[in-house]
């Protein structure tokens, strides 16, 4: 049962335009969300996060929006640059049965920014 | 500063064999988590260790085991390898147990191929 879903496996955007990556989740108990970026042959790199008490968080060219009623979050990248081409994973923080935390990842969206 | 380091980077095993993967966390990080990423999927949680104790376990069979040493480095062991164990195994570290802003920093992974 996929609790975090990224329904678009790939996205192509022209350099300078906005990239919008989407993510849906099913568990209303999730209270912290993260976006990671992954280049080939590297591990995922933390990009930006958002707590459920907020609906928006910005960091430079990256903004994450959270719509709790729709159980949906999105990552906006503007302006998009060729170096942003990577696989982007959405993740939700969830408690384990022993009370610690784990991340539940979506399947990723491959972003290609065209020069 | 060194990031999360994992070894080996690549390895090939045959069905039924055993494998040990190693991870050194970022200096000062006391928590290590292991994730499995199968091709085309997002990373899936296997284990979390904090202060040398197992604090969380994902939905993986008992063939998977791990431990954390006094210097906070960690090993992941997989026995009786199956073809389906072929994946990228990611290690991540954090100062605390990965809650809220205590985000995970990932290593580049160990790519295991089972023939």
């Amino acid at each position: 049962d996929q609790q975090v879903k990224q329904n678009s496996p790939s996205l192509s955007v022209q350099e300078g335009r906005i990239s919008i990556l989407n993510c849906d989740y099913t568990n209303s108990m999730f209270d912290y969300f993260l976006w990671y970026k992954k280049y080939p042959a590297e591990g995922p790199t933390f990009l930006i996060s958002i707590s459920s008490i907020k609906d928006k968080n910005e960091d430079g060219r990256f903004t994450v929006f959270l719509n709790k009623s729709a159980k949906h979050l999105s990552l906006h990248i503007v302006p998009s640059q060729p170096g942003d081409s990577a696989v982007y994973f959405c993740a939700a923080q969830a408690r384990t049965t022993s009370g610690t935390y784990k991340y539940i990842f979506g399947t990723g969206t491959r972003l290609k920014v065209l020069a | 500063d060194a990031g999360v380091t994992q070894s080996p980077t690549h390895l090939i095993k045959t069905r039924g064999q055993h494998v040990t993967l190693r991870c050194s966390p970022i200096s000062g990080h006391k928590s290590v988590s292991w994730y499995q990423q199968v091709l085309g999927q997002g990373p899936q949680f296997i284990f979390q260790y904090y202060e040398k104790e197992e604090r969380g376990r994902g939905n993986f069979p008992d063939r998977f085991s791990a431990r954390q040493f006094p210097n906070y480095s960690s090993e992941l062991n997989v026995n009786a390898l199956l073809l389906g164990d072929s994946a990228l195994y990611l290690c991540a570290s954090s100062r605390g147990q990965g809650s809220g802003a205590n985000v995970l920093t990932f290593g580049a992974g160990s790519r295991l191929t089972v023939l």
Side-chain angles (χ1 to χ4, degrees):
Chain A
D1 182 25
Q2 191 71 21
Q3 296 188 68
V4 177
K5 300 176 186 178
Q6 294 176 257
N7 292 320
S8 298
S10 63
L11 174 69
S12 291
V13 172
Q14 284 295 130
E15 181 179 6
R17 305 296 291 269
I18 185 171
S19 296
I20 300 176
L21 295 93
N22 294 303
C23 178
D24 297 295
Y25 61 96
T26 58
N27 190 334
S28 58
M29 297 299 290
F30 291 154
D31 60 4
Y32 199 80
F33 302 89
L34 309 96
W35 284 92
Y36 278 81
K37 177 171 72 173
K38 187 178 186 302
Y39 293 118
E42 295 184 12
T45 303
F46 171 71
L47 200 55
I48 192 169
S49 62
I50 188 166
S51 164
S52 60
I53 62 173
K54 293 185 171 183
D55 54 18
K56 177 182 174 182
N57 188 27
E58 280 183 87
D59 184 2
R61 297 186 296 113
F62 303 91
T63 303
V64 56
F65 295 92
L66 176 62
N67 182 334
K68 281 190 296 181
S69 61
K71 297 192 185 70
H72 176 83
L73 62 157
S74 60
L75 174 68
H76 293 209
I77 307 172
V78 55
S80 302
Q81 299 173 353
D84 296 329
S85 297
V87 178
Y88 289 78
F89 290 100
C90 168
Q93 182 179 276
R95 274 190 175 268
T96 68
T97 53
S98 54
T100 59
Y101 292 90
K102 64 180 180 182
Y103 291 172
I104 299 176
F105 285 88
T107 52
T109 296
R110 183 178 300 277
L111 172 67
K112 188 171 185 178
V113 179
L114 307 169
Chain B
D1 283 344
V4 177
T5 57
Q6 293 187 243
S7 63
T9 54
H10 294 82
L11 69 166
I12 299 174
K13 294 283 189 179
T14 57
R15 280 177 294 175
Q17 284 190 313
H18 162 92
V19 67
T20 297
L21 307 176
R22 296 179 176 84
C23 172
S24 292
I26 290 173
S27 178
H29 285 192
K30 297 183 178 181
S31 176
V32 168
S33 298
W34 288 93
Y35 285 77
Q36 180 197 62
Q37 186 183 7
V38 172
L39 194 64
Q41 301 294 318
Q44 288 211 12
F45 174 71
I46 311 176
F47 287 111
Q48 187 205 32
Y49 277 77
Y50 180 71
E51 287 285 14
K52 293 153 282 184
E53 291 187 9
E54 181 182 307
R55 300 297 183 103
R57 171 187 277 260
N59 189 22
F60 281 81
D62 292 343
R63 300 184 297 107
F64 288 76
S65 63
R67 54 181 175 167
Q68 187 176 34
F69 299 100
N71 66 354
Y72 302 109
S73 67
S74 178
E75 281 182 358
L76 175 70
N77 295 283
V78 187
N79 292 324
L81 285 167
L82 303 174
L83 295 179
D85 295 331
S86 296
L88 180 67
Y89 288 86
L90 294 162
C91 174
S93 74
S94 62
R95 287 193 185 277
Q97 297 188 60
S99 63
N102 215 343
V103 298
L104 298 182
T105 301
F106 283 87
S110 293
R111 183 163 296 284
L112 170 66
T113 301
V114 182
L115 301 177

